[in-house]
Amino acid sequence: MKNVPKSTKNGERIGNFDNQITFSFHRNIEMVYYKSIFPHHTPFQMILSQEVDHLAALQYQALDIRYLHNLQQLWSDPAVIRYTGTPEPYTLEQTRQKLERLQQSDVFVVFQQHRFIGIVGCPCIDTKTLEFGLFYQFRQSVWGRGYATAAVKWMLAFMKKKYIQPVIYADVITQNTASEKILKRFHFICQSESKPIHSCGQKTIVRHYVLDTSKNVTPTKEAFSMQYIFTGSYTSPDGTDGVRCFSIDLDNRLTQLCAADIYSPTYVLYHHGLLYAVGRNGKGSRLHTFSFDGKNLTAISTVPAVEDSTLCHLSIVGNTLYASAYGAGKLARFRLDENGIPSCREILAYQGGSVHPRQDHAHIHSAFPSPDKHFLLVCDLGSDRIYNYCIQPDGSLLPNPVQPEIVTPAGSGPRHLTYTRDGIYVYVITELSAQVLVYQRNVQTGILTQIQITDCVPQERPEDTLSADIHLSKDEHSLYASSRGADCMAIYAVQSDGTLRAPVYTSSYASGPRNFSLSPNGQLTVIGGQYSNNIVICPIDPNTGIPCEPISETEMPQATCAQWIEIDI
């Protein structure tokens, strides 16, 4: 490696530097760098340059005094500074002094949708050898959303473009395995370790990394993303371990990382670093919000939802969360603030019923936004209707003027649905008639036209058969539908015109498959057994698309939901 500096000895930086500065790297890292003035360079002015990743468009703006109060709030947050060696939160004057030093180097504030979320930079260590120190800090409310990876990628590309063969260091404490993975993901090499030091009352070791300049800065996504399974289950009123989080090893074995006590959570939804879970509250319901740092769930909000009904499904569009209330036949609309915390804004009540004994009144079971987020389809199991809404900029709903509702066959009971990625086809599973309804959809107007009805259980079926969940494979060549009672999965080959071939049936390998989820790579599925009190992981045959016998099984009392997610770190 060229230009590897000789300024390290026994894990410590040596050289003539002035004004040591300590930064927080990600959440739990102490980084020590040194201020040095560039005699031959002026700060590069990069105004609102964009890096678009799979999560959001981030903007970067050169650090200046306008962001004094933003940084003072950031550097006063105990969660941000606890591993920086800073004895106490920064005062406004201390922030001003630090800002004045930093703005002489390549340091940028980071925005997401024009909202300040953090800072990233490479202050100079030595101007002669072009040595720099990488750091970043983000507001706690946006941790775990992949912004660190996007910001580091942008910063390294910026440095590579501006300087010829820069040498870039980064320090990390050994407890922060997630941040070490970020460094390794971008081809940083560990050079040495410090002797044990005391930080926040405990001993820790700092590892010193340097960027391998022979490698491209573009990371390999699959190698260092983390996968988790979040589950919900019916519980006693104390809610013990109602929500659980599992990690997945290379052999697809599950290890429970943490749990949260919620009374009978029937649905969980992970979104931008937060986990939302529905729970009972007497005859009503609550919406719980947790932050997730890769190891722990931390409760940050609990708000009342619907007074006279439990919730059974959640979906999010922008800053709006929609919650389906089955028992009362209602749809609750929550506003999410800049930290993702919900507050209820509106409750829509529905009327009607149909021919089945369970259809005495409306039962809103789910609400699914279209891929372009312009429309919302709401499944009413009780009245055999799918309500078709246009989503307004503030998240409010207006009935689609050209097709406000779709009437499904009498006694069918639409429960869940899924769209193709282009939004041209919609597949609806009906709980009561155990069928899949296929619709062609006009993506401009949102109009649905039925083109097929097919069964999702064999003709000989138990009387207690209740179909449940439906998902498309990653390549959209296969469609999966689960049914309780029959305890089966129906697998359909999807044809070029969106219609389905006759299904192949296989066991669900868990009794009462209320919910299932496909792995991000599409090679596995996790199935929740409501009646068998377990969750199972089944490989999917790459040739047939059919789930095979389980390779992993975990006890889970009355499993209601199993969501498989992947998080960029």
Side-chain angles (χ1 to χ4, degrees):
M1 186 186 306
K2 296 182 179 180
N3 287 340
V4 174
K6 52 181 179 296
S7 58
T8 59
K9 182 179 180 181
N10 297 327
E12 299 177 355
R13 296 280 159 80
I14 59 175
N16 296 319
F17 308 108
D18 58 349
N19 295 337
Q20 175 173 309
I21 304 175
T22 302
F23 298 97
S24 167
F25 183 94
H26 196 34
R27 309 171 207 167
N28 304 332
I29 293 184
E30 178 180 80
M31 297 191 67
V32 181
Y33 294 118
Y34 305 87
K35 174 196 174 268
S36 181
I37 304 301
F38 254 135
H40 306 299
H41 298 270
T42 58
F44 188 89
Q45 299 300 312
M46 177 67 76
I47 306 299
L48 293 179
S49 176
Q50 293 194 42
E51 167 69 18
V52 180
D53 68 348
H54 73 289
L55 291 172
L58 300 185
Q59 299 92 35
Y60 304 84
Q61 186 164 344
L63 180 65
D64 63 46
I65 195 64
R66 289 177 294 171
Y67 309 110
L68 174 65
H69 291 282
N70 296 114
L71 292 176
Q72 199 265 333
Q73 291 178 359
L74 185 70
W75 294 336
S76 299
D77 185 348
V80 174
I81 67 173
R82 60 187 176 188
Y83 288 103
T84 66
T86 303
E88 56 188 13
Y90 272 62
T91 65
L92 191 63
E93 182 57 32
Q94 289 172 326
T95 303
R96 186 191 306 276
Q97 294 174 8
K98 184 172 179 178
L99 187 154
E100 290 174 351
R101 296 195 298 266
L102 288 179
Q103 67 181 357
Q104 300 176 57
S105 297
D106 297 303
V107 180
F108 301 87
V109 291
V110 185
F111 294 86
Q112 195 269 332
Q113 296 181 347
H114 306 291
R115 177 170 61 94
F116 174 90
I117 61 172
I119 184 172
V120 65
C122 276
C124 183
I125 297 173
D126 191 306
T127 59
K128 295 181 180 179
T129 57
L130 292 182
E131 297 175 32
F132 303 87
L134 171 69
F135 82 98
Y136 62 89
Q137 300 163 312
F138 284 95
R139 295 171 57 186
Q140 185 182 15
S141 61
V142 300
W143 289 353
R145 304 188 187 184
Y147 295 148
T149 298
V152 170
K153 179 181 178 181
W154 184 89
M155 193 72 234
L156 294 178
F158 171 88
M159 297 298 289
K160 184 178 180 180
K161 183 177 181 180
K162 182 176 179 181
Y163 302 103
I164 299 175
Q165 296 182 327
V167 179
I168 300 177
Y169 295 102
D171 291 356
V172 55
I173 62 172
T174 54
Q175 289 93 331
N176 197 322
T177 56
S179 292
E180 285 201 280
K181 286 183 177 180
I182 290 179
L183 294 181
K184 293 175 181 178
R185 182 174 185 177
F186 287 96
H187 311 297
F188 278 79
I189 299 172
C190 183
Q191 283 191 314
S192 60
E193 293 183 352
S194 71
K195 296 178 180 178
I197 62 173
H198 285 273
S199 177
C200 295
Q202 61 180 353
K203 286 186 177 181
T204 188
I205 293 175
V206 179
R207 287 182 178 150
H208 307 299
Y209 282 82
V210 65
L211 178 65
D212 184 351
T213 56
S214 67
K215 304 289 187 180
N216 191 301
V217 299
T218 302
T220 301
K221 179 180 185 294
E222 291 78 6
F224 295 105
S225 57
M226 301 293 290
Q227 296 190 16
Y228 304 91
I229 292 176
F230 292 103
T231 64
S233 62
Y234 288 121
T235 71
S236 58
D238 63 8
T240 302
D241 292 352
V243 170
R244 307 186 193 198
C245 174
F246 298 87
S247 63
I248 309 157
D249 65 19
L250 296 177
D251 295 321
N252 300 305
R253 292 173 300 191
L254 302 184
T255 300
Q256 183 171 321
L257 296 178
C258 55
D261 295 342
I262 298 178
Y263 182 13
S264 292
T266 52
Y267 200 83
V268 297
L269 175 66
Y270 180 85
H271 182 75
H272 286 181
L274 299 177
L275 185 74
Y276 300 93
V278 302
R280 293 185 179 180
N281 179 30
K283 295 182 178 180
S285 54
R286 292 175 176 174
L287 177 60
H288 303 265
T289 307
F290 299 85
S291 63
F292 180 64
D293 62 5
K295 293 182 180 179
N296 301 291
L297 286 168
T298 302
I300 58 176
S301 170
T302 298
V303 295
V306 179
E307 293 181 354
D308 54 351
S309 179
T310 57
L311 302 177
C312 57
H313 185 264
L314 302 172
S315 59
I316 291 177
V317 176
N319 294 324
T320 300
L321 181 148
Y322 303 98
S324 301
Y326 176 83
K330 296 178 179 179
L331 182 71
R333 180 172 68 89
F334 292 82
R335 179 187 176 275
L336 303 179
D337 68 14
E338 63 178 14
N339 298 317
I341 308 303
S343 57
C344 195
R345 282 293 179 267
E346 181 183 25
I347 294 180
L348 300 177
Y350 296 81
Q351 304 295 325
S354 191
V355 300
H356 192 279
R358 285 183 53 198
Q359 294 179 310
D360 56 332
H361 64 275
H363 292 297
I364 301 302
H365 213 302
S366 60
F368 287 90
S370 59
D372 62 8
K373 312 300 184 186
H374 293 164
F375 299 89
L376 188 76
L377 293 178
V378 177
C379 292
D380 183 354
L381 184 149
S383 67
D384 290 326
R385 277 166 172 74
I386 302 170
Y387 295 100
N388 192 352
Y389 289 103
C390 300
I391 302 175
Q392 303 306 293
D394 64 353
S396 60
L397 302 174
L398 292 180
N400 190 324
V402 292
Q403 189 187 49
E405 62 183 42
I406 300 96
V407 179
T408 64
S412 59
R415 177 185 172 99
H416 279 199
L417 60 83
T418 187
Y419 302 81
T420 53
R421 279 189 294 271
D422 58 15
I424 294 177
Y425 299 102
V426 177
Y427 303 93
V428 179
I429 190 167
T430 62
E431 177 171 328
L432 303 179
S433 65
Q435 293 174 315
V436 172
L437 313 180
V438 183
Y439 295 89
Q440 190 167 5
R441 178 175 173 273
N442 185 306
V443 296
Q444 280 77 39
T445 64
I447 293 177
L448 272 64
T449 303
Q450 184 179 298
I451 58 176
Q452 186 184 15
I453 299 178
T454 181
D455 290 339
C456 58
V457 293
Q459 288 186 351
E460 295 184 4
R461 65 187 70 172
E463 292 185 0
D464 63 348
T465 292
L466 298 171
S467 294
D469 205 5
I470 187 166
H471 296 283
L472 280 163
S473 62
K474 184 177 181 179
D475 60 11
E476 300 192 337
H477 292 167
S478 299
L479 179 75
Y480 303 95
S482 68
S483 295
R484 295 163 289 179
D487 288 344
C488 70
M489 296 282 286
I491 302 94
Y492 308 86
V494 181
Q495 303 185 99
S496 59
D497 62 356
T499 59
L500 306 174
R501 292 182 181 175
V504 174
Y505 297 110
T506 185
S507 171
S508 59
Y509 302 108
S511 181
R514 177 189 174 95
N515 181 260
F516 68 96
S517 179
L518 300 175
S519 65
N521 63 12
Q523 298 175 4
L524 301 161
T525 181
V526 57
I527 304 169
Q530 180 181 346
Y531 307 152
S532 54
N533 300 314
N534 64 346
I535 56 173
V536 297
I537 293 179
C538 299
I540 296 175
D541 188 301
N543 298 315
T544 64
I546 297 175
C548 304
E549 291 190 3
I551 55 177
S552 175
E553 179 179 351
T554 302
E555 182 180 347
M556 176 65 56
Q558 299 188 71
T560 60
C561 184
Q563 298 290 314
W564 196 322
I565 67 163
E566 183 174 54
I567 302 175
D568 275 351
I569 58 172

